[in-house]
């Protein structure tokens, strides 16, 4: 059976050998985890050696008069801890939407000039969203975003609209034969105005929330011009069921 000193040398040799593994990201994470566990084993064995060296040696007399040294058990290894970070999963999306003018149950008839689909979307089943910007970069800032609520999620947006009414914020609007609510929500970037928003009633079980980013809204002459563009987008929204 190897001595504690031999175990310690072997562990240190193993640790040195691991340092020459290939430097790819996943391997580095796994290797770091293993090194942490190995350092724990080394520290435990070193502590055990110190205790053995410092403890007085007691001799006992065995039957027949022979002298015996009591057996010393090594400290057991600490339990391994799996501290490898989890791999994040991709959020649910609507997939490839082409030009972005049709997404799930909604079709977009009008968008301001110069915008293209951002190649970004989220799909949570009863609520889903996508956006448009200048360059189609999914990591870029949005200009226009539409969030659709269906089924049970309609109550959430209706409650929010009612809160705006109670606070005296925003106004009721008519969009053709449909109703909507115009309001500026939240606080914008760097203390600017919040997000110009039109919430459109598209039927008993569907609402569409149309938003301009505060930065994009600044390109229009005034608030009335922003409201007109939001209303034109709302007019062009249709549903397939």
């Amino acid at each position: 059976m190897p001595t504690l000193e031999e175990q310690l040398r072997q562990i240190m040799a193993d640790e040195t050998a691991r340092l020459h593994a290939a430097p790819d990201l996943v391997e580095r994470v796994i290797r770091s985890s293993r090194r942490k566990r190995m350092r724990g084993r080394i520290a435990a064995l070193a502590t055990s050696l110190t205790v053995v060296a410092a403890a007085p040696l007691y001799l006992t007399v065995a039957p027949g008069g022979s002298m015996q040294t009591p057996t010393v058990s090594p400290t057991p290894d600490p339990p391994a801890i799996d501290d490898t970070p989890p791999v994040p999963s991709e959020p649910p999306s609507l997939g490839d939407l082409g030009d972005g003018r049709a997404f799930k149950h909604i079709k977009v008839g009008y968008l301001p000039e110069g915008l293209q689909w951002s190649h970004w979307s989220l799909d949570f089943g009863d609520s889903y969203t996508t956006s448009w910007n200048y360059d189609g970069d999914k990591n870029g800032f949005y200009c226009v975003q539409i969030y659709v609520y269906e089924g049970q999620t309609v109550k959430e947006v209706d409650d929010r609209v009612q809160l705006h009414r109670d606070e005296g914020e925003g106004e009721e609007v008519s969009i053709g034969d449909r109703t909507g609510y115009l309001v500026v929500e939240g606080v914008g970037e760097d203390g600017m105005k919040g997000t110009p928003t039109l919430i459109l009633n598209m039927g008993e079980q569907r609402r569409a929330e149309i938003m301009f980013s505060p930065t994009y809204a600044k390109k229009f002459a005034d608030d009335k011009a922003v409201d007109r563009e939001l209303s034109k987008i709302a007019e062009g929204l249709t549903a397939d069921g």
Side-chain angles (χ1 to χ4, degrees), residues 192-216:
M192 294 187 298
K193 288 184 178 180
T195 303
T197 303
L198 193 158
I199 298 172
L200 177 67
N201 185 338
M202 299 186 71
E204 184 177 353
Q205 294 297 307
R206 183 177 290 124
R207 305 286 184 271
E209 183 175 14
I210 307 163
M211 296 165 280
F212 277 13
S213 76
T215 300
Y216 180 63

mmCIF file with all atom_site columns, all heavy atoms in Angstrom, residues 192-216:
data_model
loop_
_atom_site.group_PDB
_atom_site.id
_atom_site.type_symbol
_atom_site.label_atom_id
_atom_site.label_alt_id
_atom_site.label_comp_id
_atom_site.label_asym_id
_atom_site.label_entity_id
_atom_site.label_seq_id
_atom_site.pdbx_PDB_ins_code
_atom_site.Cartn_x
_atom_site.Cartn_y
_atom_site.Cartn_z
_atom_site.occupancy
_atom_site.B_iso_or_equiv
_atom_site.pdbx_formal_charge
_atom_site.auth_seq_id
_atom_site.auth_comp_id
_atom_site.auth_asym_id
_atom_site.auth_atom_id
_atom_site.pdbx_PDB_model_num
ATOM 1   N N   . MET A 1 192 ? -34.315 60.382 -21.082 1.00 0.00 ? 192 MET A N   1
ATOM 2   C CA  . MET A 1 192 ? -35.224 60.893 -22.107 1.00 0.00 ? 192 MET A CA  1
ATOM 3   C C   . MET A 1 192 ? -36.642 60.428 -21.805 1.00 0.00 ? 192 MET A C   1
ATOM 4   O O   . MET A 1 192 ? -36.883 59.690 -20.857 1.00 0.00 ? 192 MET A O   1
ATOM 5   C CB  . MET A 1 192 ? -34.795 60.383 -23.487 1.00 0.00 ? 192 MET A CB  1
ATOM 6   C CG  . MET A 1 192 ? -33.456 60.915 -23.968 1.00 0.00 ? 192 MET A CG  1
ATOM 7   S SD  . MET A 1 192 ? -33.136 60.424 -25.677 1.00 0.00 ? 192 MET A SD  1
ATOM 8   C CE  . MET A 1 192 ? -33.106 58.655 -25.546 1.00 0.00 ? 192 MET A CE  1
ATOM 9   N N   . LYS A 1 193 ? -37.579 60.844 -22.670 1.00 0.00 ? 193 LYS A N   1
ATOM 10  C CA  . LYS A 1 193 ? -38.949 60.372 -22.534 1.00 0.00 ? 193 LYS A CA  1
ATOM 11  C C   . LYS A 1 193 ? -38.975 58.853 -22.640 1.00 0.00 ? 193 LYS A C   1
ATOM 12  O O   . LYS A 1 193 ? -38.068 58.239 -23.205 1.00 0.00 ? 193 LYS A O   1
ATOM 13  C CB  . LYS A 1 193 ? -39.827 60.983 -23.610 1.00 0.00 ? 193 LYS A CB  1
ATOM 14  C CG  . LYS A 1 193 ? -40.114 62.469 -23.414 1.00 0.00 ? 193 LYS A CG  1
ATOM 15  C CD  . LYS A 1 193 ? -41.077 62.951 -24.495 1.00 0.00 ? 193 LYS A CD  1
ATOM 16  C CE  . LYS A 1 193 ? -41.412 64.416 -24.291 1.00 0.00 ? 193 LYS A CE  1
ATOM 17  N NZ  . LYS A 1 193 ? -42.352 64.910 -25.345 1.00 0.00 ? 193 LYS A NZ  1
ATOM 18  N N   . GLY A 1 194 ? -40.057 58.254 -22.145 1.00 0.00 ? 194 GLY A N   1
ATOM 19  C CA  . GLY A 1 194 ? -40.184 56.806 -22.194 1.00 0.00 ? 194 GLY A CA  1
ATOM 20  C C   . GLY A 1 194 ? -40.515 56.300 -23.582 1.00 0.00 ? 194 GLY A C   1
ATOM 21  O O   . GLY A 1 194 ? -40.274 56.970 -24.588 1.00 0.00 ? 194 GLY A O   1
ATOM 22  N N   . THR A 1 195 ? -41.115 55.111 -23.645 1.00 0.00 ? 195 THR A N   1
ATOM 23  C CA  . THR A 1 195 ? -41.370 54.420 -24.899 1.00 0.00 ? 195 THR A CA  1
ATOM 24  C C   . THR A 1 195 ? -42.759 54.764 -25.441 1.00 0.00 ? 195 THR A C   1
ATOM 25  O O   . THR A 1 195 ? -43.774 54.394 -24.823 1.00 0.00 ? 195 THR A O   1
ATOM 26  C CB  . THR A 1 195 ? -41.272 52.903 -24.683 1.00 0.00 ? 195 THR A CB  1
ATOM 27  O OG1 . THR A 1 195 ? -39.978 52.590 -24.152 1.00 0.00 ? 195 THR A OG1 1
ATOM 28  C CG2 . THR A 1 195 ? -41.499 52.146 -25.977 1.00 0.00 ? 195 THR A CG2 1
ATOM 29  N N   . PRO A 1 196 ? -42.856 55.444 -26.586 1.00 0.00 ? 196 PRO A N   1
ATOM 30  C CA  . PRO A 1 196 ? -44.175 55.691 -27.179 1.00 0.00 ? 196 PRO A CA  1
ATOM 31  C C   . PRO A 1 196 ? -44.827 54.354 -27.557 1.00 0.00 ? 196 PRO A C   1
ATOM 32  O O   . PRO A 1 196 ? -44.224 53.537 -28.257 1.00 0.00 ? 196 PRO A O   1
ATOM 33  C CB  . PRO A 1 196 ? -43.853 56.530 -28.424 1.00 0.00 ? 196 PRO A CB  1
ATOM 34  C CG  . PRO A 1 196 ? -42.508 57.127 -28.149 1.00 0.00 ? 196 PRO A CG  1
ATOM 35  C CD  . PRO A 1 196 ? -41.778 56.091 -27.349 1.00 0.00 ? 196 PRO A CD  1
ATOM 36  N N   . THR A 1 197 ? -46.047 54.133 -27.098 1.00 0.00 ? 197 THR A N   1
ATOM 37  C CA  . THR A 1 197 ? -46.691 52.827 -27.219 1.00 0.00 ? 197 THR A CA  1
ATOM 38  C C   . THR A 1 197 ? -48.158 52.974 -27.611 1.00 0.00 ? 197 THR A C   1
ATOM 39  O O   . THR A 1 197 ? -48.849 53.857 -27.110 1.00 0.00 ? 197 THR A O   1
ATOM 40  C CB  . THR A 1 197 ? -46.611 52.079 -25.868 1.00 0.00 ? 197 THR A CB  1
ATOM 41  O OG1 . THR A 1 197 ? -45.241 51.954 -25.474 1.00 0.00 ? 197 THR A OG1 1
ATOM 42  C CG2 . THR A 1 197 ? -47.237 50.696 -25.956 1.00 0.00 ? 197 THR A CG2 1
ATOM 43  N N   . LEU A 1 198 ? -48.609 52.097 -28.516 1.00 0.00 ? 198 LEU A N   1
ATOM 44  C CA  . LEU A 1 198 ? -50.025 51.999 -28.828 1.00 0.00 ? 198 LEU A CA  1
ATOM 45  C C   . LEU A 1 198 ? -50.444 50.553 -28.597 1.00 0.00 ? 198 LEU A C   1
ATOM 46  O O   . LEU A 1 198 ? -49.899 49.637 -29.215 1.00 0.00 ? 198 LEU A O   1
ATOM 47  C CB  . LEU A 1 198 ? -50.319 52.413 -30.267 1.00 0.00 ? 198 LEU A CB  1
ATOM 48  C CG  . LEU A 1 198 ? -51.794 52.651 -30.610 1.00 0.00 ? 198 LEU A CG  1
ATOM 49  C CD1 . LEU A 1 198 ? -51.921 53.544 -31.845 1.00 0.00 ? 198 LEU A CD1 1
ATOM 50  C CD2 . LEU A 1 198 ? -52.576 51.357 -30.861 1.00 0.00 ? 198 LEU A CD2 1
ATOM 51  N N   . ILE A 1 199 ? -51.401 50.351 -27.699 1.00 0.00 ? 199 ILE A N   1
ATOM 52  C CA  . ILE A 1 199 ? -51.919 49.020 -27.417 1.00 0.00 ? 199 ILE A CA  1
ATOM 53  C C   . ILE A 1 199 ? -53.246 48.865 -28.147 1.00 0.00 ? 199 ILE A C   1
ATOM 54  O O   . ILE A 1 199 ? -54.203 49.597 -27.889 1.00 0.00 ? 199 ILE A O   1
ATOM 55  C CB  . ILE A 1 199 ? -52.087 48.800 -25.904 1.00 0.00 ? 199 ILE A CB  1
ATOM 56  C CG1 . ILE A 1 199 ? -50.716 48.903 -25.222 1.00 0.00 ? 199 ILE A CG1 1
ATOM 57  C CG2 . ILE A 1 199 ? -52.719 47.439 -25.620 1.00 0.00 ? 199 ILE A CG2 1
ATOM 58  C CD1 . ILE A 1 199 ? -50.760 48.891 -23.720 1.00 0.00 ? 199 ILE A CD1 1
ATOM 59  N N   . LEU A 1 200 ? -53.278 47.923 -29.095 1.00 0.00 ? 200 LEU A N   1
ATOM 60  C CA  . LEU A 1 200 ? -54.410 47.752 -29.991 1.00 0.00 ? 200 LEU A CA  1
ATOM 61  C C   . LEU A 1 200 ? -55.251 46.548 -29.579 1.00 0.00 ? 200 LEU A C   1
ATOM 62  O O   . LEU A 1 200 ? -54.733 45.453 -29.365 1.00 0.00 ? 200 LEU A O   1
ATOM 63  C CB  . LEU A 1 200 ? -53.907 47.562 -31.424 1.00 0.00 ? 200 LEU A CB  1
ATOM 64  C CG  . LEU A 1 200 ? -54.959 47.297 -32.499 1.00 0.00 ? 200 LEU A CG  1
ATOM 65  C CD1 . LEU A 1 200 ? -55.848 48.531 -32.707 1.00 0.00 ? 200 LEU A CD1 1
ATOM 66  C CD2 . LEU A 1 200 ? -54.291 46.885 -33.810 1.00 0.00 ? 200 LEU A CD2 1
ATOM 67  N N   . ASN A 1 201 ? -56.569 46.766 -29.507 1.00 0.00 ? 201 ASN A N   1
ATOM 68  C CA  . ASN A 1 201 ? -57.505 45.679 -29.235 1.00 0.00 ? 201 ASN A CA  1
ATOM 69  C C   . ASN A 1 201 ? -57.817 44.991 -30.564 1.00 0.00 ? 201 ASN A C   1
ATOM 70  O O   . ASN A 1 201 ? -58.487 45.555 -31.438 1.00 0.00 ? 201 ASN A O   1
ATOM 71  C CB  . ASN A 1 201 ? -58.780 46.236 -28.603 1.00 0.00 ? 201 ASN A CB  1
ATOM 72  C CG  . ASN A 1 201 ? -59.757 45.141 -28.183 1.00 0.00 ? 201 ASN A CG  1
ATOM 73  O OD1 . ASN A 1 201 ? -59.708 44.021 -28.687 1.00 0.00 ? 201 ASN A OD1 1
ATOM 74  N ND2 . ASN A 1 201 ? -60.647 45.475 -27.270 1.00 0.00 ? 201 ASN A ND2 1
ATOM 75  N N   . MET A 1 202 ? -57.348 43.745 -30.724 1.00 0.00 ? 202 MET A N   1
ATOM 76  C CA  . MET A 1 202 ? -57.555 43.007 -31.965 1.00 0.00 ? 202 MET A CA  1
ATOM 77  C C   . MET A 1 202 ? -58.595 41.892 -31.796 1.00 0.00 ? 202 MET A C   1
ATOM 78  O O   . MET A 1 202 ? -58.617 40.941 -32.575 1.00 0.00 ? 202 MET A O   1
ATOM 79  C CB  . MET A 1 202 ? -56.233 42.417 -32.456 1.00 0.00 ? 202 MET A CB  1
ATOM 80  C CG  . MET A 1 202 ? -55.175 43.450 -32.769 1.00 0.00 ? 202 MET A CG  1
ATOM 81  S SD  . MET A 1 202 ? -53.684 42.728 -33.512 1.00 0.00 ? 202 MET A SD  1
ATOM 82  C CE  . MET A 1 202 ? -54.305 42.269 -35.139 1.00 0.00 ? 202 MET A CE  1
ATOM 83  N N   . GLY A 1 203 ? -59.454 42.016 -30.809 1.00 0.00 ? 203 GLY A N   1
ATOM 84  C CA  . GLY A 1 203 ? -60.453 40.987 -30.557 1.00 0.00 ? 203 GLY A CA  1
ATOM 85  C C   . GLY A 1 203 ? -60.443 40.597 -29.090 1.00 0.00 ? 203 GLY A C   1
ATOM 86  O O   . GLY A 1 203 ? -59.568 40.998 -28.321 1.00 0.00 ? 203 GLY A O   1
ATOM 87  N N   . GLU A 1 204 ? -61.396 39.773 -28.703 1.00 0.00 ? 204 GLU A N   1
ATOM 88  C CA  . GLU A 1 204 ? -61.550 39.432 -27.295 1.00 0.00 ? 204 GLU A CA  1
ATOM 89  C C   . GLU A 1 204 ? -60.311 38.772 -26.703 1.00 0.00 ? 204 GLU A C   1
ATOM 90  O O   . GLU A 1 204 ? -59.984 38.990 -25.540 1.00 0.00 ? 204 GLU A O   1
ATOM 91  C CB  . GLU A 1 204 ? -62.754 38.497 -27.129 1.00 0.00 ? 204 GLU A CB  1
ATOM 92  C CG  . GLU A 1 204 ? -63.072 38.163 -25.675 1.00 0.00 ? 204 GLU A CG  1
ATOM 93  C CD  . GLU A 1 204 ? -64.306 37.290 -25.558 1.00 0.00 ? 204 GLU A CD  1
ATOM 94  O OE1 . GLU A 1 204 ? -64.980 37.064 -26.583 1.00 0.00 ? 204 GLU A OE1 1
ATOM 95  O OE2 . GLU A 1 204 ? -64.598 36.836 -24.439 1.00 0.00 ? 204 GLU A OE2 1
ATOM 96  N N   . GLN A 1 205 ? -59.619 37.979 -27.486 1.00 0.00 ? 205 GLN A N   1
ATOM 97  C CA  . GLN A 1 205 ? -58.483 37.218 -26.964 1.00 0.00 ? 205 GLN A CA  1
ATOM 98  C C   . GLN A 1 205 ? -57.149 37.608 -27.597 1.00 0.00 ? 205 GLN A C   1
ATOM 99  O O   . GLN A 1 205 ? -56.225 36.791 -27.670 1.00 0.00 ? 205 GLN A O   1
ATOM 100 C CB  . GLN A 1 205 ? -58.730 35.720 -27.181 1.00 0.00 ? 205 GLN A CB  1
ATOM 101 C CG  . GLN A 1 205 ? -59.891 35.156 -26.376 1.00 0.00 ? 205 GLN A CG  1
ATOM 102 C CD  . GLN A 1 205 ? -59.635 35.262 -24.883 1.00 0.00 ? 205 GLN A CD  1
ATOM 103 O OE1 . GLN A 1 205 ? -58.603 34.826 -24.382 1.00 0.00 ? 205 GLN A OE1 1
ATOM 104 N NE2 . GLN A 1 205 ? -60.574 35.852 -24.160 1.00 0.00 ? 205 GLN A NE2 1
ATOM 105 N N   . ARG A 1 206 ? -57.025 38.871 -28.045 1.00 0.00 ? 206 ARG A N   1
ATOM 106 C CA  . ARG A 1 206 ? -55.749 39.285 -28.642 1.00 0.00 ? 206 ARG A CA  1
ATOM 107 C C   . ARG A 1 206 ? -55.540 40.780 -28.484 1.00 0.00 ? 206 ARG A C   1
ATOM 108 O O   . ARG A 1 206 ? -56.430 41.588 -28.738 1.00 0.00 ? 206 ARG A O   1
ATOM 109 C CB  . ARG A 1 206 ? -55.704 38.896 -30.119 1.00 0.00 ? 206 ARG A CB  1
ATOM 110 C CG  . ARG A 1 206 ? -54.361 39.244 -30.803 1.00 0.00 ? 206 ARG A CG  1
ATOM 111 C CD  . ARG A 1 206 ? -54.323 38.772 -32.249 1.00 0.00 ? 206 ARG A CD  1
ATOM 112 N NE  . ARG A 1 206 ? -54.246 37.314 -32.310 1.00 0.00 ? 206 ARG A NE  1
ATOM 113 C CZ  . ARG A 1 206 ? -55.114 36.558 -32.958 1.00 0.00 ? 206 ARG A CZ  1
ATOM 114 N NH1 . ARG A 1 206 ? -56.146 37.111 -33.588 1.00 0.00 ? 206 ARG A NH1 1
ATOM 115 N NH2 . ARG A 1 206 ? -54.970 35.241 -32.989 1.00 0.00 ? 206 ARG A NH2 1
ATOM 116 N N   . ARG A 1 207 ? -54.321 41.150 -28.074 1.00 0.00 ? 207 ARG A N   1
ATOM 117 C CA  . ARG A 1 207 ? -53.898 42.544 -28.013 1.00 0.00 ? 207 ARG A CA  1
ATOM 118 C C   . ARG A 1 207 ? -52.526 42.643 -28.695 1.00 0.00 ? 207 ARG A C   1
ATOM 119 O O   . ARG A 1 207 ? -51.711 41.719 -28.618 1.00 0.00 ? 207 ARG A O   1
ATOM 120 C CB  . ARG A 1 207 ? -53.755 43.045 -26.567 1.00 0.00 ? 207 ARG A CB  1
ATOM 121 C CG  . ARG A 1 207 ? -54.995 42.867 -25.719 1.00 0.00 ? 207 ARG A CG  1
ATOM 122 C CD  . ARG A 1 207 ? -56.094 43.853 -26.070 1.00 0.00 ? 207 ARG A CD  1
ATOM 123 N NE  . ARG A 1 207 ? -57.224 43.694 -25.151 1.00 0.00 ? 207 ARG A NE  1
ATOM 124 C CZ  . ARG A 1 207 ? -58.243 42.851 -25.365 1.00 0.00 ? 207 ARG A CZ  1
ATOM 125 N NH1 . ARG A 1 207 ? -58.270 42.093 -26.463 1.00 0.00 ? 207 ARG A NH1 1
ATOM 126 N NH2 . ARG A 1 207 ? -59.233 42.757 -24.501 1.00 0.00 ? 207 ARG A NH2 1
ATOM 127 N N   . ALA A 1 208 ? -52.284 43.776 -29.343 1.00 0.00 ? 208 ALA A N   1
ATOM 128 C CA  . ALA A 1 208 ? -50.972 44.037 -29.942 1.00 0.00 ? 208 ALA A CA  1
ATOM 129 C C   . ALA A 1 208 ? -50.402 45.314 -29.334 1.00 0.00 ? 208 ALA A C   1
ATOM 130 O O   . ALA A 1 208 ? -51.081 46.348 -29.291 1.00 0.00 ? 208 ALA A O   1
ATOM 131 C CB  . ALA A 1 208 ? -51.077 44.176 -31.451 1.00 0.00 ? 208 ALA A CB  1
ATOM 132 N N   . GLU A 1 209 ? -49.182 45.222 -28.850 1.00 0.00 ? 209 GLU A N   1
ATOM 133 C CA  . GLU A 1 209 ? -48.505 46.388 -28.264 1.00 0.00 ? 209 GLU A CA  1
ATOM 134 C C   . GLU A 1 209 ? -47.421 46.842 -29.246 1.00 0.00 ? 209 GLU A C   1
ATOM 135 O O   . GLU A 1 209 ? -46.467 46.122 -29.503 1.00 0.00 ? 209 GLU A O   1
ATOM 136 C CB  . GLU A 1 209 ? -47.895 46.004 -26.918 1.00 0.00 ? 209 GLU A CB  1
ATOM 137 C CG  . GLU A 1 209 ? -47.239 47.151 -26.200 1.00 0.00 ? 209 GLU A CG  1
ATOM 138 C CD  . GLU A 1 209 ? -46.754 46.747 -24.812 1.00 0.00 ? 209 GLU A CD  1
ATOM 139 O OE1 . GLU A 1 209 ? -46.686 45.528 -24.529 1.00 0.00 ? 209 GLU A OE1 1
ATOM 140 O OE2 . GLU A 1 209 ? -46.442 47.643 -24.017 1.00 0.00 ? 209 GLU A OE2 1
ATOM 141 N N   . ILE A 1 210 ? -47.610 48.038 -29.807 1.00 0.00 ? 210 ILE A N   1
ATOM 142 C CA  . ILE A 1 210 ? -46.684 48.585 -30.809 1.00 0.00 ? 210 ILE A CA  1
ATOM 143 C C   . ILE A 1 210 ? -45.833 49.648 -30.136 1.00 0.00 ? 210 ILE A C   1
ATOM 144 O O   . ILE A 1 210 ? -46.365 50.589 -29.535 1.00 0.00 ? 210 ILE A O   1
ATOM 145 C CB  . ILE A 1 210 ? -47.462 49.202 -31.988 1.00 0.00 ? 210 ILE A CB  1
ATOM 146 C CG1 . ILE A 1 210 ? -48.465 48.184 -32.540 1.00 0.00 ? 210 ILE A CG1 1
ATOM 147 C CG2 . ILE A 1 210 ? -46.506 49.672 -33.076 1.00 0.00 ? 210 ILE A CG2 1
ATOM 148 C CD1 . ILE A 1 210 ? -49.542 48.820 -33.402 1.00 0.00 ? 210 ILE A CD1 1
ATOM 149 N N   . MET A 1 211 ? -44.517 49.515 -30.241 1.00 0.00 ? 211 MET A N   1
ATOM 150 C CA  . MET A 1 211 ? -43.610 50.403 -29.502 1.00 0.00 ? 211 MET A CA  1
ATOM 151 C C   . MET A 1 211 ? -42.555 51.017 -30.424 1.00 0.00 ? 211 MET A C   1
ATOM 152 O O   . MET A 1 211 ? -42.029 50.338 -31.316 1.00 0.00 ? 211 MET A O   1
ATOM 153 C CB  . MET A 1 211 ? -42.905 49.617 -28.388 1.00 0.00 ? 211 MET A CB  1
ATOM 154 C CG  . MET A 1 211 ? -43.831 49.086 -27.319 1.00 0.00 ? 211 MET A CG  1
ATOM 155 S SD  . MET A 1 211 ? -43.040 47.820 -26.275 1.00 0.00 ? 211 MET A SD  1
ATOM 156 C CE  . MET A 1 211 ? -43.182 46.372 -27.330 1.00 0.00 ? 211 MET A CE  1
ATOM 157 N N   . PHE A 1 212 ? -42.239 52.276 -30.197 1.00 0.00 ? 212 PHE A N   1
ATOM 158 C CA  . PHE A 1 212 ? -41.097 52.949 -30.801 1.00 0.00 ? 212 PHE A CA  1
ATOM 159 C C   . PHE A 1 212 ? -40.030 53.091 -29.716 1.00 0.00 ? 212 PHE A C   1
ATOM 160 O O   . PHE A 1 212 ? -40.346 53.493 -28.592 1.00 0.00 ? 212 PHE A O   1
ATOM 161 C CB  . PHE A 1 212 ? -41.469 54.349 -31.288 1.00 0.00 ? 212 PHE A CB  1
ATOM 162 C CG  . PHE A 1 212 ? -42.107 54.389 -32.650 1.00 0.00 ? 212 PHE A CG  1
ATOM 163 C CD1 . PHE A 1 212 ? -42.570 53.238 -33.264 1.00 0.00 ? 212 PHE A CD1 1
ATOM 164 C CD2 . PHE A 1 212 ? -42.260 55.598 -33.314 1.00 0.00 ? 212 PHE A CD2 1
ATOM 165 C CE1 . PHE A 1 212 ? -43.174 53.282 -34.510 1.00 0.00 ? 212 PHE A CE1 1
ATOM 166 C CE2 . PHE A 1 212 ? -42.859 55.656 -34.554 1.00 0.00 ? 212 PHE A CE2 1
ATOM 167 C CZ  . PHE A 1 212 ? -43.320 54.497 -35.162 1.00 0.00 ? 212 PHE A CZ  1
ATOM 168 N N   . SER A 1 213 ? -38.780 52.807 -30.055 1.00 0.00 ? 213 SER A N   1
ATOM 169 C CA  . SER A 1 213 ? -37.738 53.091 -29.076 1.00 0.00 ? 213 SER A CA  1
ATOM 170 C C   . SER A 1 213 ? -37.650 54.611 -28.898 1.00 0.00 ? 213 SER A C   1
ATOM 171 O O   . SER A 1 213 ? -37.886 55.373 -29.855 1.00 0.00 ? 213 SER A O   1
ATOM 172 C CB  . SER A 1 213 ? -36.384 52.548 -29.542 1.00 0.00 ? 213 SER A CB  1
ATOM 173 O OG  . SER A 1 213 ? -35.822 53.380 -30.544 1.00 0.00 ? 213 SER A OG  1
ATOM 174 N N   . PRO A 1 214 ? -37.344 55.102 -27.689 1.00 0.00 ? 214 PRO A N   1
ATOM 175 C CA  . PRO A 1 214 ? -37.235 56.552 -27.481 1.00 0.00 ? 214 PRO A CA  1
ATOM 176 C C   . PRO A 1 214 ? -36.243 57.214 -28.439 1.00 0.00 ? 214 PRO A C   1
ATOM 177 O O   . PRO A 1 214 ? -36.462 58.343 -28.883 1.00 0.00 ? 214 PRO A O   1
ATOM 178 C CB  . PRO A 1 214 ? -36.777 56.656 -26.022 1.00 0.00 ? 214 PRO A CB  1
ATOM 179 C CG  . PRO A 1 214 ? -37.315 55.411 -25.376 1.00 0.00 ? 214 PRO A CG  1
ATOM 180 C CD  . PRO A 1 214 ? -37.192 54.345 -26.423 1.00 0.00 ? 214 PRO A CD  1
ATOM 181 N N   . THR A 1 215 ? -35.166 56.494 -28.766 1.00 0.00 ? 215 THR A N   1
ATOM 182 C CA  . THR A 1 215 ? -34.170 57.061 -29.688 1.00 0.00 ? 215 THR A CA  1
ATOM 183 C C   . THR A 1 215 ? -34.748 57.200 -31.086 1.00 0.00 ? 215 THR A C   1
ATOM 184 O O   . THR A 1 215 ? -34.570 58.233 -31.753 1.00 0.00 ? 215 THR A O   1
ATOM 185 C CB  . THR A 1 215 ? -32.919 56.177 -29.721 1.00 0.00 ? 215 THR A CB  1
ATOM 186 O OG1 . THR A 1 215 ? -32.350 56.110 -28.406 1.00 0.00 ? 215 THR A OG1 1
ATOM 187 C CG2 . THR A 1 215 ? -31.880 56.716 -30.684 1.00 0.00 ? 215 THR A CG2 1
ATOM 188 N N   . TYR A 1 216 ? -35.456 56.173 -31.552 1.00 0.00 ? 216 TYR A N   1
ATOM 189 C CA  . TYR A 1 216 ? -36.063 56.230 -32.881 1.00 0.00 ? 216 TYR A CA  1
ATOM 190 C C   . TYR A 1 216 ? -37.140 57.309 -32.935 1.00 0.00 ? 216 TYR A C   1
ATOM 191 O O   . TYR A 1 216 ? -37.287 58.007 -33.952 1.00 0.00 ? 216 TYR A O   1
ATOM 192 C CB  . TYR A 1 216 ? -36.656 54.870 -33.227 1.00 0.00 ? 216 TYR A CB  1
ATOM 193 C CG  . TYR A 1 216 ? -37.321 54.808 -34.584 1.00 0.00 ? 216 TYR A CG  1
ATOM 194 C CD1 . TYR A 1 216 ? -36.590 55.004 -35.752 1.00 0.00 ? 216 TYR A CD1 1
ATOM 195 C CD2 . TYR A 1 216 ? -38.684 54.546 -34.697 1.00 0.00 ? 216 TYR A CD2 1
ATOM 196 C CE1 . TYR A 1 216 ? -37.202 54.946 -37.002 1.00 0.00 ? 216 TYR A CE1 1
ATOM 197 C CE2 . TYR A 1 216 ? -39.300 54.478 -35.934 1.00 0.00 ? 216 TYR A CE2 1
ATOM 198 C CZ  . TYR A 1 216 ? -38.560 54.680 -37.090 1.00 0.00 ? 216 TYR A CZ  1
ATOM 199 O OH  . TYR A 1 216 ? -39.166 54.615 -38.320 1.00 0.00 ? 216 TYR A OH  1
#
